[in-house]
Amino acid sequence: MTEPGRVLVVIPTYQERENIESIVRRVGAAVPTADVLVVDDGSPDGTGKVADELAEADERVHVLHRNAKNGLGAAYIAGFGWGLDRGYDVLVEMDADGSHAPEQLPRLLGAMGGADLVLGSRYVPGGAVVNWPRRREVLSRGGNLYVRLALGIRLKDATGGYRAFRREVLESIDYGAVASQGYCFQVDLARRAVAAGFRVVEVPITFAERVRGESKMSGDIVREAFLRVGQWGVAERRQQLRQAVNRRR
């Protein structure tokens, strides 16, 4: 695999003490040249302390402490800013709970040669979901269908959170203005990249339900995604209609 420059894997954490050491070490084994940034939202269980100990032992591990739980989107925005300020060429999103296997990271990075944004996709040929309740998978597949219909983008898995960005993408799409969380945050970044004309490709991954700890997914996050995607779709259709009217004049 030819690596696309300096790589930073951003891993947001909240109450992930049981998982963070394993996931960081697996990243190091999968891509030894990659750096890791743990963005901890003041976890009461001491996740930040464990991350600090990992950073002391390994110069490729870094920790960004935040004072409160402000959500996944805000954690990634902070991590992106940290990485861009320090000159990283590729920034990777990865969950701390093991659902995004670090062993599949070389696949994402290997696809960067022909892409600006690589999405790890559960729903392209070769992708899979393991140990998910049927209801959760139906919700996820239905959500992605809704995104395709509402926004007119052809991505099979716009809601997934295992992805790699070239720095130029983040610098161009005003990522700091993204105020969404969870599914919606991921959709917003993907749609901005598509709208800006960047090359977005999907590679198959196997997504596994977490073994330890509790999921941060909530009904509020799902409702936010449904409403915001609908609003974006309506705005896009209005813009297309205005452009069509102007062309006829």
Side-chain angles (χ1 to χ4, degrees), residues 151-222:
L151 302 182
I153 59 177
R154 298 181 179 180
L155 302 176
K156 298 292 187 181
D157 195 357
T159 65
Y162 196 5
R163 46 182 63 183
F165 298 84
R166 289 192 183 278
R167 65 175 295 123
E168 293 82 5
V169 176
L170 294 170
E171 290 172 332
S172 299
I173 64 174
D174 194 16
Y175 71 90
V178 177
S180 311
Q181 299 296 330
Y183 288 142
C184 201
F185 176 79
Q186 307 298 1
V187 173
D188 202 351
L189 291 178
R191 76 179 184 98
R192 288 173 184 241
V194 170
F198 287 107
R199 300 167 298 169
V200 182
V201 302
E202 296 180 89
V203 299
I205 61 165
T206 297
F207 179 96
E209 177 69 319
R210 68 161 60 232
V211 176
R212 297 184 296 272
E214 297 181 359
S215 173
K216 311 302 189 300
M217 188 56 60
S218 70
D220 288 342
I221 290 175
V222 174

